[in-house]
Amino acid sequence: MNGDRITTLLRMDGDELLRSEPNLRDFFASLGLCLPREGESATDYFASLESGLLEDLGIERSELGERFAAFVRLMDGLKSARLNQGVESVTIRGGHDKDGNQEALELTVRPGEVISIVGPTGSGKSRLLADIEWMAQGDSPTGRIILINGQAPEAGKRFSIDHKLVAQLSQNMNFVMDMTVEEFVAMHAESRMVEDVAGVTATIIGLANDLAGEKFSPATPVTSLSGGQSRALMIADTSCLSSSPIVLIDEIENAGIDRKRAVRTLVDKRKIVLMATHDPVLALMGDRRLVIKNGGISRILETSAVERANLSRFEEMDNCLQAVRNALRRGERIEGV
Amino acid sequence: MRLVTVAGPPSSGKTAVTIKALSSLMREGARVGVVKFDSLSTQDQSLYEKQGIPVTTGISGNLCPDHFFVSNAEDCLTWGVESGFDLLVIESAGLCNRCAPHIQGVLAVCVIDNLSGVDTPRKIGPMLKMADLVVITKGDIVSQAEREVFAYRVRQVNGPATILQVNGLTGQGGHELGRLLMSAPETDQLEGRLLRFSMPAALCSYCLGQRKIGSDYQMGNVRKMCFQGELP
């Protein structure tokens, strides 16, 4: 089916081609080529290119058709990944810790679940994440096996960007592009083959503003967002646009963002949320928490009823501290606590 | 012996990710070695040595480092075979983005970093477009969205390549890169093999040491640029 579609596209003239697949404009631009003209098919255009030009651009003529086909497959793959993630569960089958002791466990997590990861620095939290991201099949230092929907992933899917399992949000991440918030989100949406780019962009900016303490406008440059605003935009953007079913969060900054709502936002979008955190409010939000020790998962703790009850007390304390912070910001005295 | 060429723009993290991948392989008992090409002096030799990785450096001086690399590729292979390596990595200097040190039938790796900007994949020639494996670095400091856009832009110019995110500082992804490097085909000899693409051509008076500016001093392979309104 794919082959037929590619043949048909290759035969269309420039105008028709871009009408039926506007994203193909990027294919020609990314290779430094012009667009096929009206009445000229992509195949004819490839044949008409001067050898000197191809030499300058660093492409072989014989490869153009193949690259065109690869581009169409990429677009189609991204579109179907967006419509259907197809991940119903992720299973971690235990390997061993740094001393070779068995991790006797099989842990299955499903979309909408929140799992906390706790353990000291160097205990192996990053390795656990790397195992999941790489979809380890007993071929990583821990010997763990990762199953998707109960099965080993197909070999080709381990590295394809449209089947990437893990989206990552961490403390030291920043926006580095020189763009406004609106341009930035629209660019991400386009790369995910979203049809209503403007609509999705507006939704994401609205959501990010709900999460951030201080509001920002679509015209704000991403590089001038505050830490809290950046984090809020990253979470809103990942929840709406990333096709990765798992989101890993490495601590959410305390200041300037509604942390609990941020996690809820991801859960609502049916993400599996893995959180490396020692913040009691966040850690106890998890359904379970994995205790990492010496490179292995040493325990899995279900959040107990008593812990849940404590959570509301921690939230009160947290709100109290937040109120003090806000009062400080407003220049008030902190005497009546 | 397995052979890999690693190329990529300056400071993209070629040496850092190669060290992480090779260290991981050495822990598993593999015998590995590196030939590092550079144009002036390089600190990379000592970086490899610190990790106990056998390394030879080739300094090209005033020659184009990639032309210098091809002229020495067979000797590199011989050194690797005689040293008894299971895997030899040849790391290019990574200067001009047009260069194409990759060889047909030899695993070709291109290392580029997320910080270089989303338009960069379009600006890199055969070094990226013809690589089998694209390693993207510095993902820990940019947003998820930027990583996704960047990987997508890489896919746009090189659809078939395997893309791997590796963190040169923490080593995340280094073990996985090592696995992929060990999947390189066995290479016993290079004589008669083809480069994946032609190198940028030169050979004008400036190649031969001319320093004076002016059309009287330009000879050989000279091309003039075209300005607005002028015909080429």
Side-chain angles (χ1 to χ4, degrees), chain B residues 134-186:
Chain B
V134 179
V135 173
I136 305 181
T137 58
K138 303 182 194 173
D140 56 327
I141 36 185
V142 303
S143 62
Q144 174 69 20
E146 279 158 288
R147 275 198 305 275
E148 287 184 16
V149 172
F150 195 82
Y152 168 69
R153 293 285 176 96
V154 169
R155 264 276 179 269
Q156 280 189 333
V157 298
N158 188 343
T162 295
I163 295 180
L164 188 66
Q165 304 268 349
V166 179
N167 184 328
L169 295 178
T170 65
Q172 190 173 329
H175 170 84
E176 290 72 12
L177 176 60
R179 287 273 158 168
L180 294 173
L181 296 185
M182 284 308 273
S183 72
E186 294 273 345

Side-chain angles (χ1 to χ4, degrees), chain A residues 24-42:
Chain A
L24 278 171
R25 190 178 291 279
D26 265 356
F27 167 75
F28 296 96
S30 67
L31 291 179
L33 296 170
C34 303
L35 294 166
R37 284 177 302 245
E38 198 183 333
E40 185 185 43
S41 72

Side-chain angles (χ1 to χ4, degrees), chain A residues 26 55-56 63 67 127 134 139-140 168 172-177 187-188 191-193 237 242, chain B residues 98 118 129-130 140-148 152-153 156-157 172 175-176 198 223:
Chain A
D26 265 356
E55 176 81 14
D56 284 350
E63 282 177 29
R67 283 177 182 271
R127 185 65 251 169
W134 161 255
D139 55 358
S140 78
Q168 212 170 336
N172 51 356
M173 279 174 188
N174 284 298
F175 293 112
V176 295
M177 281 181 199
M187 176 182 205
H188 189 204
S191 82
R192 306 309 307 186
M193 303 290 146
D237 170 273
S242 176
Chain B
R98 171 63 177 72
V118 286
K129 292 185 177 124
M130 295 194 169
D140 56 327
I141 36 185
V142 303
S143 62
Q144 174 69 20
E146 279 158 288
R147 275 198 305 275
E148 287 184 16
Y152 168 69
R153 293 285 176 96
Q156 280 189 333
V157 298
Q172 190 173 329
H175 170 84
E176 290 72 12
S198 60
R223 192 193 292 188

Side-chain angles (χ1 to χ4, degrees), chain A residues 155-175:
Chain A
K157 289 197 175 173
R158 284 179 78 174
F159 307 107
S160 68
I161 57 166
D162 29 316
H163 293 95
K164 217 162 159 29
L165 269 190
V166 179
Q168 212 170 336
L169 296 167
S170 79
Q171 205 77 283
N172 51 356
M173 279 174 188
N174 284 298
F175 293 112

Side-chain angles (χ1 to χ4, degrees), chain A residues 39-54:
Chain A
E40 185 185 43
S41 72
T43 308
D44 293 343
Y45 175 61
F46 294 156
S48 74
L49 290 165
E50 282 177 34
S51 309
L53 175 71
L54 292 172

